[in-house]
Every structure is written in C-alpha cells, then in structure tokens.
Amino acid sequence: MSSSVKALGQARPLGAGLAPMTCCCSQATLQRWLPILAWLPHYSLQWLKMDVIAGLSVGLTVIPQALAYAEVAGLPPQYGLYSAFMGCFVYFFLGTSRDVTLGPTAIMSLLVSSYTFHEPAYAVLLAFLSGCIQLAMGCLCLGFLLDFISCPVIRGFTSAAAITISFGQIKNLLGLQNIPRQFFLQVYHTFRRIGETRAGDAVLGLVCMLLLLLLKLMRDHGPRVHPDMSPGMRLSHGLLWTATTARNALVVSFAALVAYSFEVTGYQPFVLTGKIVKGLPPIQTPPFSVTTANGTVSFTEMVQDMGAGLAVVPLMGLLESIAVAKSFASQNNYRIRANQELLAIGLTNVLGSLFSSYPVTGSFGRTAVNAQSGVCTPAGGLLTGVLVLLSLDYLTSLFYYIPKAALAAVIITAVIPLFDTKIVRTLWRVKRLDLLPLCVTFLLCFWEVQYGILAGTLVSVLILLHSAARPNVQVSEGPVLVLQPASGLHFPAVETLREAILNQALGASPPRCAVLECSHVCSIDYTVVLGLGELLGDFQRRGVTLAFVGLQVPVLRVLLSADLKGVQYFSTLEEAEKYLSPEPGPPPYNIRDDSVPEQKVALLKA
C-alpha cells in the first residue's frame, strides 16, 4: 500500500523550499482542489484489483444498511438508497482519504428524524442547506470551529445515540406497531405493549442478530493469511472473508428468502418492508415549499421548523466525517486536508439533494470494511455507487420481502459499538472534571439531541474559559519573591494575577520586591497592559520594585508600544535576583530608557 499512500500524499500545500506559484492554475493548485490528479497518473492494475474488491464489499454492506437507516430517519426505504450513491462519485474526485465512504449513517439518520418530522421534503431541503453551510465553511477555512466540540461531548452524544437508535428498533424486532418515536414515550409504550409481540418477528430478529455477531467474530478472530498456505486454504480463507465482510447482505438475503417461502404458502408471520419505489430518483431542485392538507408551507416556514437542525446537522456531519478520515489516515500512515474534506461532504449533500438524498456523512463501519478490503484509492467508491444504482433499478421488487426485524438486527449490531463502555473509567482516571460535559450531553440527548450537544459544548467551553480566567500562579520564595503564571495571560485573568501579586508582595510586612516570570506568556492584550500598569503604580507607591523576566518578543513588543512607566525586565531570573537583592547586580533594561533605542525600534518594526 505504500505506493498508494505516496500518491495520495502528493496533493499537499506548497511547503518551504518550493518556488512560489506563478500561476493560480499551477499543477500543485489543481491537485489541492482536485486530489484525483495526484493519484490517477500513478494508477495501476494492482490498485484496480484491490479497489474492485473493496468497492464490492462496501456495496454489499451499504445496500441493506441504507434501507435500514431510512427507517431510523423516519423516511420511506428508497430514500436510504437515494442517499447512498452520490458521495461515492463526489469523493472520487475531491476526497483526500482513500478509505472514507460517504453515505447514510445511524447518527445522521437519527438527527434527520429529529428535525424533519418524517417528511421527505424537509429531509431533502435539510441536505441542500447543510451542504451549502458545509461548503461555505470549507471555502472560509472554518474547520477549526469543530475543535470546540470536545471528546467527552462527542462520546456522550454517540453513546446516547447508540441507546436511542437501538431501542428505537426494538419495536421492529418484536413486530410491534404504532409505537411513538419520542424516546421516553417509546420506552413506555414498548414495555406496556410487550405482550403484543409477534413470535415470528422476535425469533427471526434474534436469529439474525446472532448470525451477524457470529460472522463478525469469525472475521475478527479468523486465521490470518500467510505465505505457507496451500492454494486450497487460500481459497477457503478468501470465501470466509467474503462471507463475513458481506454479512449484512447475506443475513438480510436469508431473512428475505425465509419470508418469501412463507409468502408462497399463503401465511406471513413477519412484518415486511413492503413496496419500494422502483428506479432512479428524478433529478429536481430541492423542495423550497411543500403542500400539506392545511395549505402550503413556505421556504421561510420550513427553515423555521427545522430550527437548530440547520446548525446541528451540518456540524455533526462534518465532525463525524473528519473524525473517521483522521482515524484511518493515522492508522494507514497518510494525511488528509480537513478543509478539502469539508468541500467534499458539502458538495455531496448539495448534489445529493438534487436526487432526493437526505444529509450524509462519513461512515465508520463502511470505512472500516473499505480499509480491511485493501482499498488503494477513492476509485473503489465508484463500484459501490454503481451497485447502489443497479439495486434501485433492478432489485427493488425483491426488497419487498425483507422483514423489518432483519433490518432492525442490522441496525442494532451496527450501532452497539458506538456505546463507549470505557470512557467513564478513563475520564475518572485522567481528568474527572471532563465527566461533567460527558454526563450533561449523554443525559440531555435523550430529551432533545440539540440540547444535549449544545449544553455539553457550553459546559466544555465554560471549563476552558475558567482555566483561562483563573490561571494557576506558581509562587517561589527565594532571595526575592518570584511569581509565574502557569499558562497564558489573557484579559479575564488580569484580576486573578493582580490579587495574587498584591497578596504575596504588597500584603507582606514590610512590602517585598517581586519578579514576574513570563516565559509561559506568549501574547497579551490591552486589558492586560492596563492591569500591569496599575500593578507597577501600586509597587512604586509602596517603594518596591516589580521586575519582569522571560518576556517573549511579542509580549515585549506590546509593552514597548504601550510605553508603560517603570517597566524593568531582565534576560534571566538570576540577573533579576541579583539586582533586587541587598547587593545590587547589573542594571535592568528599562523600556523608557533612551539608551537602547536600536532594540526598541527593531522590536516595534518587527
């Protein structure tokens, strides 16, 4: 795979030592915007072989998953397939990861269900608007905003989503009808009506789950291929690997065959998927209004109805996709470009909305299948997309016989790994305060997803701001008092720093000289400058000195520009201690002293 890694790694920004671009359409620029140009010239027959295997494997996985995730989104089954092919073609041209596959996922389907009222028109419009927002973020290089959603918030959300999605499929697993979709009502009505369980659906659903888990264990713990294997052993290993990788398609096909057998006899013990619209979706603009029994809902009203979903869906889509891409890039030793990924997923959603797609993102499960299949380039997605299109054109009549219990088993086994059983113990050991955003997000997501994510992010930001506003100040007692802020110094921290210095130096009897060790301070703002000026005035009125040590160039430049009175700074702490001790050492630098004009002018011009 090293050659494919090298090819995919060529489309990178110009680095040091390269000649400046003389044309906006240079080869390097084109490769940045169209990563396909970096690896396509190196494409080989070996890569084609591996990409075909991976494309087939992912295609056999995505078709049953797409049908199942449409149920999670509260949409007709065909909308899952409508959402499963556009990402394959767009990512072929724009993707920077060879492993990632874009399409419907469990988490994105849950979010769509929360904000689109199970109306296809709302789901398609949400895909279009989410894509526009993601494209704008990519063009403006706003991917850094995702960094404010901390890992505990993500783990809390995904764990809550795993429970919500899994329990939401219990009704299909048991053959229960007319169960509400709101989580707490769903729990109540499911247990209340447990006596109405259909034996056929329950048995088939449990059998499908056991088969899926067994096939997964066989794939994860099966024997590895080694050079000494005989051709027969290699063939049997290849067949086993194919069967376990395509386990979703195999199990769903088995369940459909069982349901069809009963249909022939005139008795049907299962709840079936039912009729699915045949053929490719028509190309049309997203619905900017929708007609209901109560009249026409305008575009403005539709946007108001979706509310926070216009922020939550695009952000979570980007977060999930980039997290998946970074994870597999790290495992397989290549790099991705986050802003290029934003453009790829944004364009996928915009173009997908023309084919009645709902919002999509990177799928961790299918990306894992892609990587384990030995994919070499994003070209593997082309075959996946073609398989989805062929299934829409030729297999929809067969999808009629797929039992809903089998699709529920596919969903439950796919989302169970999203529940992180170790995160609480890990955070308790590493940093217990991080349990707060984790628990807030996890609990509130059962009420409303947007409230959980928003509240968890807010708690994380408040923890971050508190550490910035209340930095630890290390105090060292020696020949003179030395105070060192343990982190950066920004305007919310001025009062905390001032109180610490006043209490330690001027609160003593008699007042003491002090040294402010600033090696950890890389920048200061105007509010900090004012606070330092007041501190210097307090020290001068009490007849003692406040000196500075370890000033970095940006900080010194600001102090020079402010022209504060009485600022004395030293290169080392030893010099400051000697100067402030009873036997004075070398004199300090004084920023108001005209004896060092060259240094002052140089710093101000830098």
Side-chain angles (χ1 to χ4, degrees):
M1 299 300 164
S2 59
S3 56
S4 64
V5 172
K6 179 180 177 182
L8 283 175
Q10 287 177 350
R12 294 179 182 167
L14 289 176
L18 295 180
M21 290 187 300
T22 58
C23 176
C24 64
C25 294
S26 66
Q27 183 179 1
T29 304
L30 288 175
Q31 288 182 354
R32 287 184 61 193
W33 289 101
L34 285 174
I36 183 178
L37 298 179
W39 56 263
L40 190 59
H42 307 276
Y43 206 75
S44 65
L45 288 176
Q46 177 63 22
W47 290 8
L48 177 61
K49 171 188 170 184
M50 301 307 296
D51 286 345
V52 167
I53 295 173
L56 284 171
S57 302
V58 176
L60 292 174
T61 303
V62 70
I63 292 172
Q65 281 192 345
L67 294 170
Y69 289 151
E71 160 68 24
V72 176
L75 301 172
Q78 65 268 19
Y79 281 87
L81 296 174
Y82 294 165
S83 306
F85 63 86
M86 183 54 69
C88 302
F89 301 126
V90 172
Y91 206 79
F92 171 72
F93 294 98
L94 300 181
T96 61
S97 168
R98 68 168 185 260
D99 299 303
V100 167
T101 63
L102 300 180
T105 66
I107 289 178
M108 190 54 59
S109 299
L110 176 66
L111 293 176
V112 170
S113 173
S114 301
Y115 296 111
T116 60
F117 321 105
H118 314 143
E119 286 287 342
Y122 277 86
V124 174
L125 180 61
L126 181 58
F128 175 76
L129 296 178
S130 296
C132 291
I133 293 171
Q134 291 162 340
L135 280 175
M137 291 182 66
C139 292
L140 297 175
C141 299
L142 296 179
F144 72 93
L145 293 177
L146 302 177
D147 297 336
F148 287 95
I149 304 178
S150 65
C151 183
V153 173
I154 298 170
R155 297 297 176 86
F157 164 66
T158 54
S159 296
I163 295 175
T164 302
I165 294 168
S166 298
F167 199 90
Q169 294 305 308
I170 296 296
K171 63 181 186 293
N172 291 327
L173 202 67
L174 302 180
L176 301 178
Q177 302 287 329
N178 302 319
I179 299 293
R181 287 184 173 269
Q182 206 281 332
F183 180 73
F184 295 110
L185 292 176
Q186 201 171 73
V187 173
Y188 172 74
H189 284 280
T190 299
F191 283 107
R192 183 185 177 193
R193 298 171 55 185
I194 198 76
E196 302 174 18
T197 299
R198 296 168 58 102
D201 286 297
V203 171
L204 181 65
L206 291 175
V207 168
C208 288
M209 285 186 64
L210 290 174
L211 287 175
L212 288 168
L213 292 174
L214 178 62
L215 290 170
K216 184 178 187 302
L217 288 174
M218 291 173 63
R219 190 198 67 182
D220 294 342
H221 302 286
R224 303 289 181 183
V225 178
H226 54 83
D228 298 332
M229 274 188 173
S230 64
M233 287 293 293
R234 286 177 177 272
L235 177 61
S236 61
H237 182 277
L239 292 175
L240 177 65
W241 177 86
T242 302
T244 54
T245 300
R247 60 187 179 276
N248 289 329
L250 285 178
V251 170
V252 168
S253 299
F254 160 75
L257 184 61
V258 171
Y260 179 75
S261 301
F262 277 102
E263 187 81 9
V264 171
T265 64
Y267 171 69
Q268 187 54 263
F270 312 121
V271 178
L272 303 181
T273 298
K275 184 175 176 60
I276 296 179
V277 176
K278 181 182 179 180
L280 303 180
I283 302 177
Q284 56 189 4
T285 58
F288 294 105
S289 64
V290 61
T291 302
T292 65
N294 298 324
T296 300
V297 182
S298 67
F299 172 74
T300 304
E301 292 172 323
M302 294 177 73
V303 169
Q304 290 173 347
D305 289 341
M306 288 185 284
L310 292 174
V312 173
V313 170
L315 286 177
M316 292 308 299
L318 294 175
L319 188 67
E320 187 176 1
S321 186
I322 291 177
V324 170
K326 285 184 176 180
S327 173
F328 282 87
S330 175
Q331 291 178 25
N332 297 320
N333 195 30
Y334 63 89
R335 295 180 62 187
I336 65 161
R337 295 200 307 276
N339 284 312
Q340 182 67 25
E341 292 294 304
L342 300 189
L343 295 175
I345 188 173
L347 189 60
T348 295
N349 280 319
V350 169
L351 295 181
S353 68
L354 304 179
F355 294 87
S356 302
S357 165
Y358 68 81
V360 300
T361 185
S363 166
F364 190 90
R366 294 193 298 275
T367 298
V369 170
N370 210 23
Q372 291 162 2
S373 302
V375 70
C376 293
T377 70
L382 291 180
L383 186 55
T384 301
V386 169
L387 284 177
V388 174
L389 292 174
L390 290 175
S391 70
L392 274 167
D393 221 15
Y394 298 106
L395 300 180
T396 49
S397 59
L398 301 179
F399 294 156
Y400 175 92
Y401 297 102
I402 297 177
K404 287 190 174 183
L407 294 180
V410 170
I411 294 173
I412 292 173
T413 54
V415 300
I416 282 176
L418 293 176
F419 187 84
D420 194 335
T421 57
K422 300 178 181 179
I423 186 64
V424 172
R425 185 166 65 251
T426 301
L427 292 181
W428 182 266
R429 187 174 65 250
V430 176
K431 187 178 181 182
R432 296 177 184 177
L433 188 59
D434 282 340
L435 286 170
L436 184 58
L438 173 78
C439 293
V440 168
T441 305
F442 180 77
L443 294 175
L444 287 182
C445 276
F446 290 114
W447 177 29
E448 289 287 350
V449 172
Q450 69 268 27
Y451 295 152
I453 297 172
L454 181 62
T457 302
L458 182 61
V459 171
S460 293
V461 172
L462 287 176
I463 293 173
L464 179 66
L465 293 177
H466 183 270
S467 64
R470 298 292 181 268
N472 292 326
V473 180
Q474 299 176 357
V475 180
S476 302
E477 297 282 353
V480 294
L481 185 67
V482 179
L483 298 101
Q484 182 184 39
S487 59
L489 188 57
H490 304 285
F491 68 89
V494 171
E495 287 303 317
T496 299
L497 178 66
R498 185 179 180 188
E499 288 179 11
I501 295 175
L502 291 178
N503 291 337
Q504 295 289 335
L506 302 187
S509 182
R512 304 175 61 186
C513 294
V515 174
L516 187 60
E517 213 285 340
C518 300
S519 59
H520 292 163
V521 180
C522 58
S523 65
I524 59 176
D525 52 44
Y526 181 65
T527 305
V528 174
V529 171
L530 290 180
L532 293 177
E534 293 174 359
L535 267 176
L536 290 169
D538 292 336
F539 272 77
Q540 288 174 356
R541 283 190 291 273
R542 301 294 295 273
V544 288
T545 302
L546 174 64
F548 296 83
V549 167
L551 293 174
Q552 297 187 32
V553 171
V555 177
L556 184 56
R557 187 182 300 129
V558 172
L559 293 177
L560 290 170
S561 302
D563 214 21
L564 294 179
K565 296 181 179 179
V567 175
Q568 297 179 343
Y569 63 95
F570 298 83
S571 299
T572 64
L573 182 59
E574 291 75 13
E575 290 181 4
E577 289 177 340
K578 287 180 181 179
Y579 177 77
L580 298 175
S581 62
E583 298 181 1
Y589 300 105
N590 191 318
I591 66 171
R592 293 180 60 84
D593 191 349
D594 292 335
S595 61
V596 286
E598 295 85 358
Q599 181 191 30
K600 184 172 181 178
V601 171
L603 282 170
L604 288 174
K605 288 184 176 181

